[in-house]
Amino acid sequence: MKASQFLISTLRDAPADAEVVSHKLMMRAGFIKKLGAGVYTYMPMGLRVIRKVEAIVREEMNRAGAIECTMPVVQPGDLWRETGRFDKMGEELLRFKDRHDNDFVIQPTSEEVVTDIARQDFRSYKQLPKNLYQIQTKFRDERRPRFGLMRGREFIMKDAYSFDKDADGAKASYQNMAQAYRRIFDRFGLNYRAVAADSGAIGGDLSEEFQVIAATGEDAIVYCPESDYAANIEKAEALAPTQARPAASQPMQVTPTPGKSTCADVAELLNVPLQSTVKSLVLATDVLDEAGAVKGSEVWLLLVRGDHDMNEVKVGKVPGLNQGFRFATEEEIVDHFGTRPGYLGPINTRKPVRLVVDRDVAVMADWICGANEVDAHITGVNWGRDLPEPEVVADIRNIVEGDLSPCGKGKLAIERGIEIGHVFYLGTKYSKAMNATFLDVNGKTQFFEMGCYGIGVTRLPAAAIEQNHDERGMIWPESIAPFTVVICPIGMDRSEAVKAEATKLYETLLAAGVDVILDDRGERPGVMFADWELIGVPHRVVLSDRGIQAGECEYQFRRDAEAQKLPLAGMDAWLLEKLGR
Amino acid sequence: MKASQFLISTLRDAPADAEVVSHKLMMRAGFIKKLGAGVYTYMPMGLRVIRKVEAIVREEMNRAGAIECTMPVVQPGDLWRETGRFDKMGEELLRFKDRHDNDFVIQPTSEEVVTDIARQDFRSYKQLPKNLYQIQTKFRDERRPRFGLMRGREFIMKDAYSFDKDADGAKASYQNMAQAYRRIFDRFGLNYRAVAADSGAIGGDLSEEFQVIAATGEDAIVYCPESDYAANIEKAEALAPTQARPAASQPMQVTPTPGKSTCADVAELLNVPLQSTVKSLVLATDVLDEAGAVKGSEVWLLLVRGDHDMNEVKVGKVPGLNQGFRFATEEEIVDHFGTRPGYLGPINTRKPVRLVVDRDVAVMADWICGANEVDAHITGVNWGRDLPEPEVVADIRNIVEGDLSPCGKGKLAIERGIEIGHVFYLGTKYSKAMNATFLDVNGKTQFFEMGCYGIGVTRLPAAAIEQNHDERGMIWPESIAPFTVVICPIGMDRSEAVKAEATKLYETLLAAGVDVILDDRGERPGVMFADWELIGVPHRVVLSDRGIQAGECEYQFRRDAEAQKLPLAGMDAWLLEKLGR
């Protein structure tokens, strides 16, 4: 490609609404152009990256035996009613009516459509397993779209769906996809982790996220540096404490803590470690009558150590809370505790509450909690003496840095990640809802066992930039760079020698199948260099009259601080070898 | 590809709602699956064809210097308001509101978005010309979607938009695209014609349609077998008659024609050629007051020869009718002619009407028209004697087979076609509406000169089938066939020899880059053959135990009536040579 025949449109400054570095750099480098909130045109330079991502995904999905199709962007609402998602999904699901007043949605995913295909086309177990995928435009009407392609409304996703005749088959299909994802993300050349993820209501352990590691990531990833254990923070288990509970050594007493409503403030005031305080969190569950109407509520008190945070996913697995819960209203709190949040605790509540105690709290002695009166806490609290031994003890907290790893091999560390892939064992959730069956070997109808597998195709370039950039711009791994090599001839319009050498090198690389761009725009060297550093092309060759006279050219790898002078003769062979051609 | 790892899903019968052969065959062969009215999933077999179409389009667009981008499917209504299309376009434009109550549309084309890009990014004449294209999902909410991919609601279109600094440049860009389209359609291997098309309100001659010739086509194409003249029927000019008007030889008289309200009936009753009758068509134009409200109407009488049909596009160019016209209401007709349609004519109208006379009618003598009274016509009518010489004479009729060609080289023929591409010079229509300007060589702002260029990517396979099929199924040209070669081994599961030979041939072809499928499903020969003839793969090789023992295999080209026996040894080389490898 010659730059004069391409569209290069760089900006000195990013627009004010670009908050994260990938969004800023993509806007500045002309990779994307904003059309509306969360809706972007993929400009030629950005599209090149997206197409390379797509090609790698497609190649590895095909290699893994998945079959490509394309499902409609616009899908009938009636199909979505079969699974209940038409009504149950929130406002993210964009619904509209066509000219004949029929309901439609714009696909955020395609479980309904693909299950509809399966129930029509996969009639016998002999046709299974099958895995259908598409790389297609999706739409989610995010309340607050932001961060450019990171959380847009319209985006491209690769979504795959596997159909198996039984759970074992489905798990094998799942593992096949998980392996394919590793191959895909390896080829992207990014630092990523496959982390265990919570599989929600389905149960089981078969859900993994693929996270690109980046300090700016929205997700917290827990991992063990000594093993391959990794999980997202929702999922990562806090091991049961191994130490026994110490004996009580302090009397229980109420202590004034005026204005100190957080554990940190109380610990500071009393000059004790944060670890000796206990945090009270109040949840509620609705009690329904036989007709399903809310007739009242039950109030729950959850206790976690002062330096820990509650994990809502884990809480959602506690019996009694696993059908849905909410934070208690202030009215419910005052009604049950006799005071407002900030000074709550399990002792002397006004009305009985249901207690759930984190495993770390259950082994504490002489702890501190709210006194259920304003500006007061209780110190020296002990289980079995000041209040009954806890009945419901569970892992309900987030991991913190330094916790022991469930793998038994070390202490956990935490880093930030950007989710760009997810593999998920679905079981029969959709096939049952849509009555999607096949005939098994005995001629009996069975529900398909399903899995679903997503990759955020347009989010991936953003994640790559969050992980790989410097003050000059983006730094692309070779496999998904918009161009692999850029040739920058200085004064090409004035010097026949520069023009001839640049053209020769360009044509040699092109003929060898290298994705090379020749910057023949006639820009000044400073502009040229700044543009290509911003765009992040991995290899740059600079040709100039002076260099040619000295038999030299300049080469710079995008990650290097300095350019190196190399002999002009044989530069083509040197580069091809470097590129592994 | 091995068939067992692919999705082959053929049906014996097409669904009842499939009216045309391409729709029937695509449904039967499992190329598409209906999800809703005019909304289809592109199943794996169909998607292969679409991807090959896309690849050819992309390659030739790139070769022609166009630059690929991807514009959003969901576009803000406000941008569409700038050109007025948000309100002016009919119900085909799907409009909806997002969760924040903002207006959006789903793109039917992308003139607004691309013009918005140009006005931001193309600031100087030095950046021009530029041509941006995308291959992307489109949506048109057709009132009556039908014929499968021929007239769907969701479809894939390649749309390109050129930006030039002046009209000469725009015309060169247009010609460049017209040439690229010829290369594209040549590569598809279809019988097509590039035909001159009407360019509507823009004027000028720069609009061509690319029509795939098929008896089932919706469009009529006029062409000269002696030259390369071709035009769609809206556009094709009827030459001015060369003969002089004969002298009047009959008296004018009213003749009873009870119940004979058409020219054909009258000609039959009076035993005269249809060519001596004249057809009366009554149009109306609204007369507006200063505020733009309708304050009345003007009635027009158009006369064409009895064997001719009115051409609405040509009528729309007659001064006075070029701002829009409609058919007159029955009330307007009775008010002006004193009778109802069927017996109308230019003589003895009740009120004056504005007369427009086709060029062929202007040279008629002794003609027959309605008498403006029920059940009566007038014969022997002559210009200048019975009514004034016509003032407004124009070409307002459709060409008929046998008319002289405007090229001067022969007589015109008519065939049917399916429009699959359109190139169009737009001028400054969109750039002016959206105030899209650049700085010219003198530093003055100028509006972009634009062109737009479409190819119906998902319609093309349907058109290819309409043109190429037989009673057994589809017949694909090699360049866009879902597979180029199919190997059908008979009894592969029972015979090691068949399995070994089939696998060897498959792997040799695969290694040579041939798009080959090995049918290892274990189906009976009859089922296998019927499937692949339905799917229309161009080359089929059959291997059997008996054949292998005789050192033979069977080869059949899809268009051939019979298979031929060929030596098994060297079959791979023979096939590769046939495929030009």
Side-chain angles (χ1 to χ4, degrees):
Chain A
M1 180 67 72
K2 291 184 178 173
S4 61
Q5 286 157 21
F6 196 61
L7 181 50
I8 296 167
S9 186
T10 55
L11 300 171
R12 178 178 292 269
D13 299 305
D17 69 344
E19 296 172 59
V20 296
V21 68
S22 59
H23 189 191
K24 286 179 190 168
L25 289 177
M26 280 190 159
M27 294 295 288
R28 281 188 54 209
F31 277 50
I32 55 175
K33 191 168 285 291
K34 185 176 178 174
L35 184 60
V39 177
Y40 294 86
T41 293
Y42 310 133
M43 295 292 283
M45 193 70 82
L47 186 62
R48 290 183 74 88
V49 175
I50 293 169
R51 289 272 186 261
K52 289 187 181 182
V53 171
E54 286 180 358
I56 289 173
V57 170
R58 182 172 284 124
E59 228 175 275
E60 295 298 339
M61 290 301 292
N62 292 346
R63 191 195 307 263
I67 310 170
E68 189 174 5
C69 64
T70 301
M71 292 176 258
V73 173
V74 171
Q75 305 185 346
D78 280 347
L79 200 62
W80 281 68
R81 288 208 169 84
E82 289 191 39
T83 59
R85 292 212 296 173
F86 187 83
D87 297 311
K88 266 188 280 181
M89 269 189 83
E91 286 193 272
E92 285 76 29
L93 180 64
L94 202 140
R95 304 163 178 87
F96 63 86
K97 286 178 187 291
D98 72 356
R99 65 193 290 166
H100 298 300
D101 216 35
N102 295 315
D103 284 313
F104 281 85
V105 306
I106 304 191
Q107 65 166 350
T109 57
S110 274
E111 281 83 356
E112 284 78 2
V113 171
V114 79
T115 306
D116 182 52
I117 291 171
R119 69 183 171 184
Q120 293 177 62
D121 276 26
F122 305 157
R123 289 170 293 257
S124 157
Y125 72 97
K126 290 183 198 163
Q127 292 169 280
L128 304 178
K130 280 280 182 288
N131 184 326
L132 287 175
Y133 78 98
Q134 62 174 347
I135 300 177
Q136 197 21 351
T137 303
K138 305 288 186 301
F139 197 92
R140 280 186 199 159
D141 199 0
E142 297 273 353
R143 176 183 300 276
R144 204 186 143 214
R146 59 202 161 131
F147 304 154
L149 298 195
M150 197 79 86
R151 191 165 290 281
R153 294 201 288 179
E154 185 172 321
F155 55 96
I156 298 174
M157 185 165 87
K158 187 285 296 172
D159 43 330
Y161 307 88
S162 65
F163 294 86
D164 276 273
K165 66 183 196 305
D166 53 30
D168 282 350
K171 285 168 191 173
S173 291
Y174 171 94
Q175 295 301 348
N176 177 40
M177 277 294 104
Q179 280 166 29
Y181 272 43
R182 282 181 169 76
R183 284 195 297 270
I184 290 169
F185 292 115
D186 283 348
R187 287 182 62 182
F188 288 150
L190 299 177
N191 178 16
Y192 74 95
R193 260 183 217 283
V195 310
D198 185 69
S199 51
I202 308 290
D205 281 332
L206 289 176
S207 173
E208 270 170 280
E209 290 168 2
F210 289 78
Q211 295 266 2
V212 168
I213 307 306
T216 52
E218 284 188 294
D219 296 335
I221 301 168
V222 175
Y223 69 100
C224 175
E226 316 298 328
S227 77
D228 59 0
Y229 176 83
N232 71 14
I233 197 136
E234 283 79 29
K235 168 80 177 173
E237 186 190 356
L239 285 184
T242 49
Q243 75 275 25
R245 186 195 298 156
S249 68
Q250 297 174 10
M252 180 174 90
Q253 59 184 54
V254 174
T255 304
T257 53
K260 306 298 182 189
S261 61
T262 68
C263 286
D265 287 347
V266 171
E268 193 187 2
L269 176 74
L270 304 180
N271 197 24
V272 297
L274 187 55
Q275 286 84 339
S276 58
T277 65
V278 166
K279 200 182 283 180
S280 294
L281 298 141
V282 189
L283 303 179
T285 49
D286 290 324
V287 180
L288 306 181
D289 66 16
E290 281 175 13
V294 176
K295 67 174 181 185
S297 68
E298 204 158 27
V299 169
W300 300 66
L301 174 62
L302 280 70
L303 301 182
V304 296
R305 218 167 65 187
D307 59 327
H308 288 158
D309 286 322
M310 184 181 88
N311 179 312
E312 288 190 37
V313 170
K314 292 177 179 177
V315 169
K317 291 180 177 165
V318 172
L321 292 168
N322 54 1
Q323 298 300 312
F325 62 86
R326 56 179 170 80
F327 283 95
T329 63
E330 186 155 322
E331 196 185 340
E332 285 166 332
I333 291 172
V334 171
D335 185 38
H336 283 75
F337 293 87
T339 185
R340 287 206 299 271
Y343 304 92
L344 307 181
I347 294 172
N348 291 330
T349 61
R350 178 191 281 178
K351 290 185 181 173
V353 295
R354 296 185 65 171
L355 198 65
V356 181
V357 176
D358 185 66
R359 297 198 287 210
D360 284 290
V361 173
V363 296
M364 288 170 75
D366 302 329
W367 41 281
I368 300 167
C369 64
N372 291 327
E373 50 186 271
V374 172
D375 293 343
H377 280 76
I378 308 181
T379 62
V381 181
N382 282 281
W383 295 110
R385 183 190 77 180
D386 308 324
L387 72 177
E389 283 294 337
E391 283 178 27
V392 183
V393 177
D395 174 17
I396 57 169
R397 70 167 175 96
N398 281 339
I399 279 293
V400 291
E401 193 100 28
D403 280 336
L404 290 176
S405 171
C407 69
K409 292 191 182 142
K411 289 185 173 174
L412 292 172
I414 295 180
E415 61 192 353
R416 310 297 301 180
I418 300 165
E419 184 190 342
I420 31 97
H422 201 150
V423 292
F424 207 98
Y425 166 54
L426 285 172
T428 55
K429 180 178 173 182
Y430 288 91
S431 55
K432 278 189 176 152
M434 294 181 66
N435 196 29
T437 62
F438 63 95
L439 294 179
D440 71 9
V441 67
N442 301 314
K444 275 182 58 181
T445 56
Q446 301 283 358
F447 293 109
F448 295 105
E449 281 274 342
M450 293 172 56
C452 70
Y453 318 96
I455 290 177
V457 169
T458 41
R459 179 187 265 192
L460 188 114
I465 295 168
E466 292 292 335
Q467 184 178 88
N468 300 281
H469 64 270
D470 61 16
E471 69 293 344
R472 294 175 291 157
M474 312 172 179
I475 303 176
W476 288 102
E478 252 166 57
S479 62
I480 56 174
F483 293 96
T484 312
V485 177
V486 57
I487 300 172
C488 296
I490 297 176
M492 184 166 168
D493 46 344
R494 298 183 309 270
S495 160
E496 281 303 318
V498 169
K499 187 173 178 180
E501 288 293 343
T503 307
K504 200 177 91 187
L505 181 60
Y506 170 69
E507 284 172 358
T508 306
L509 296 177
L510 209 59
V514 175
D515 196 8
V516 57
I517 184 162
L518 171 64
D519 191 346
D520 60 346
R521 293 176 297 165
E523 295 284 359
R524 287 175 297 109
V527 172
M528 257 198 299
F529 297 168
D531 275 354
W532 294 111
E533 286 174 343
L534 174 61
I535 291 164
V537 171
H539 306 276
R540 187 182 77 195
V541 180
V542 179
L543 296 164
S544 65
D545 247 335
R546 188 184 300 181
I548 291 170
Q549 281 161 23
E552 284 175 348
C553 65
E554 274 192 4
Y555 165 81
Q556 188 166 0
F557 184 56
R558 179 62 183 81
R559 287 195 186 273
D560 292 345
E562 301 264 327
Q564 47 182 313
K565 284 194 163 51
L566 290 171
L568 183 58
M571 186 59 200
D572 45 2
W574 184 89
L575 247 181
L576 288 174
E577 196 188 328
K578 193 165 184 75
L579 298 173
R581 302 266 172 175
Chain B
M1 180 66 71
K2 291 183 179 174
S4 61
Q5 287 158 21
F6 196 60
L7 180 51
I8 295 167
S9 187
T10 55
L11 299 171
R12 180 178 290 269
D13 299 305
D17 70 343
E19 296 172 57
V20 296
V21 68
S22 59
H23 188 191
K24 287 179 188 168
L25 289 176
M26 280 190 158
M27 294 296 288
R28 281 188 53 208
F31 277 51
I32 55 175
K33 191 168 286 291
K34 185 175 177 175
L35 183 61
V39 177
Y40 294 85
T41 293
Y42 310 133
M43 296 292 284
M45 194 69 83
L47 187 62
R48 291 183 74 88
V49 175
I50 292 169
R51 289 272 185 261
K52 289 188 181 182
V53 170
E54 286 180 356
I56 289 173
V57 170
R58 182 171 283 124
E59 226 175 278
E60 295 298 339
M61 290 301 291
N62 291 347
R63 192 194 307 262
I67 309 170
E68 189 174 5
C69 64
T70 301
M71 292 175 258
V73 173
V74 172
Q75 305 186 345
D78 280 347
L79 201 62
W80 281 69
R81 287 207 170 85
E82 288 192 40
T83 59
R85 291 212 295 174
F86 188 83
D87 297 309
K88 266 188 279 180
M89 268 189 83
E91 286 192 272
E92 284 76 28
L93 180 65
L94 202 141
R95 304 163 178 88
F96 63 88
K97 286 179 186 290
D98 72 357
R99 66 194 289 166
H100 299 301
D101 216 33
N102 294 316
D103 284 313
F104 280 85
V105 306
I106 304 190
Q107 64 166 349
T109 57
S110 273
E111 280 84 357
E112 282 79 2
V113 171
V114 78
T115 306
D116 182 52
I117 291 170
R119 69 183 170 183
Q120 293 177 63
D121 276 26
F122 306 157
R123 289 170 291 258
S124 155
Y125 71 98
K126 289 182 197 162
Q127 292 169 277
L128 304 179
K130 279 280 183 289
N131 184 326
L132 287 175
Y133 78 97
Q134 61 175 347
I135 299 177
Q136 198 20 353
T137 304
K138 305 287 187 303
F139 197 91
R140 279 186 200 159
D141 199 1
E142 296 274 353
R143 175 182 300 277
R144 204 186 142 215
R146 59 199 160 132
F147 305 155
L149 298 195
M150 198 78 87
R151 190 164 291 282
R153 295 201 287 178
E154 185 171 320
F155 55 97
I156 299 174
M157 186 166 87
K158 187 284 297 173
D159 43 329
Y161 307 89
S162 64
F163 296 86
D164 276 273
K165 65 183 196 306
D166 53 30
D168 283 349
K171 285 169 189 172
S173 291
Y174 170 94
Q175 294 302 346
N176 177 38
M177 277 293 105
Q179 279 166 29
Y181 272 42
R182 282 181 168 77
R183 284 195 297 269
I184 290 169
F185 292 114
D186 283 348
R187 287 182 62 183
F188 288 150
L190 300 176
N191 178 16
Y192 74 94
R193 259 182 217 283
V195 311
D198 185 68
S199 51
I202 308 289
D205 282 330
L206 289 176
S207 173
E208 270 170 280
E209 290 168 2
F210 290 77
Q211 296 265 1
V212 168
I213 306 307
T216 53
E218 284 188 294
D219 296 335
I221 301 168
V222 175
Y223 68 101
C224 175
E226 316 299 328
S227 78
D228 60 0
Y229 176 83
N232 71 14
I233 198 138
E234 283 78 30
K235 169 79 178 175
E237 187 190 356
L239 286 184
T242 49
Q243 75 274 26
R245 185 195 299 158
S249 67
Q250 297 174 9
M252 180 174 91
Q253 60 185 52
V254 175
T255 305
T257 52
K260 307 298 183 189
S261 62
T262 68
C263 286
D265 288 347
V266 171
E268 191 187 4
L269 175 75
L270 304 181
N271 197 24
V272 296
L274 187 55
Q275 286 84 339
S276 59
T277 64
V278 166
K279 200 183 284 182
S280 294
L281 298 140
V282 188
L283 303 180
T285 50
D286 290 324
V287 180
L288 307 181
D289 66 15
E290 281 176 14
V294 175
K295 66 173 182 184
S297 68
E298 202 158 29
V299 169
W300 299 67
L301 175 62
L302 279 70
L303 300 182
V304 297
R305 217 167 65 186
D307 59 328
H308 287 157
D309 286 322
M310 185 180 87
N311 180 310
E312 287 191 37
V313 170
K314 293 177 179 177
V315 168
K317 292 179 176 165
V318 173
L321 292 169
N322 54 0
Q323 297 302 311
F325 61 85
R326 55 179 171 82
F327 283 94
T329 63
E330 185 153 322
E331 196 185 340
E332 286 168 330
I333 291 173
V334 171
D335 184 40
H336 284 75
F337 293 87
T339 185
R340 287 205 299 270
Y343 304 93
L344 307 180
I347 293 172
N348 291 331
T349 61
R350 180 192 280 181
K351 290 184 180 175
V353 295
R354 295 185 65 171
L355 198 65
V356 180
V357 176
D358 185 65
R359 296 197 287 209
D360 283 290
V361 173
V363 296
M364 288 170 74
D366 301 329
W367 40 281
I368 299 166
C369 62
N372 290 327
E373 51 185 271
V374 173
D375 293 344
H377 280 77
I378 308 180
T379 62
V381 181
N382 281 280
W383 295 110
R385 183 190 78 180
D386 308 322
L387 74 176
E389 283 293 335
E391 281 179 28
V392 183
V393 178
D395 174 16
I396 57 169
R397 70 166 174 97
N398 281 339
I399 278 293
V400 292
E401 193 101 25
D403 278 338
L404 289 177
S405 171
C407 69
K409 291 193 182 141
K411 289 184 173 176
L412 292 173
I414 296 180
E415 62 192 352
R416 310 296 301 180
I418 300 165
E419 185 189 342
I420 30 97
H422 200 149
V423 291
F424 207 98
Y425 166 54
L426 286 172
T428 55
K429 179 179 172 181
Y430 287 91
S431 56
K432 277 188 176 154
M434 294 181 65
N435 197 29
T437 61
F438 63 96
L439 294 179
D440 71 8
V441 67
N442 301 312
K444 275 182 59 182
T445 56
Q446 301 284 357
F447 293 109
F448 294 105
E449 281 275 341
M450 293 173 56
C452 69
Y453 317 96
I455 291 177
V457 169
T458 42
R459 179 187 267 192
L460 188 113
I465 295 168
E466 292 292 334
Q467 184 179 87
N468 300 282
H469 64 270
D470 60 17
E471 67 294 344
R472 294 175 290 157
M474 312 172 179
I475 303 175
W476 289 102
E478 251 165 57
S479 62
I480 55 174
F483 293 97
T484 311
V485 177
V486 57
I487 300 172
C488 297
I490 297 176
M492 183 168 169
D493 46 343
R494 298 183 309 270
S495 161
E496 281 303 318
V498 168
K499 187 172 178 181
E501 289 293 342
T503 307
K504 201 177 91 185
L505 181 58
Y506 170 68
E507 284 172 358
T508 306
L509 295 178
L510 209 59
V514 175
D515 196 7
V516 56
I517 185 162
L518 172 64
D519 192 346
D520 59 348
R521 293 176 298 164
E523 295 283 1
R524 287 177 295 110
V527 172
M528 259 199 296
F529 297 168
D531 275 355
W532 294 112
E533 286 176 343
L534 174 60
I535 291 165
V537 170
H539 305 277
R540 186 182 78 195
V541 180
V542 179
L543 296 165
S544 65
D545 248 335
R546 188 185 301 181
I548 292 171
Q549 280 161 22
E552 285 175 346
C553 65
E554 273 193 4
Y555 166 81
Q556 188 166 0
F557 185 56
R558 178 63 182 82
R559 286 193 186 275
D560 292 346
E562 301 266 326
Q564 47 182 313
K565 285 194 163 50
L566 290 171
L568 182 58
M571 186 60 200
D572 46 1
W574 184 87
L575 246 181
L576 288 173
E577 196 188 327
K578 191 164 185 77
L579 298 172
R581 303 263 172 176

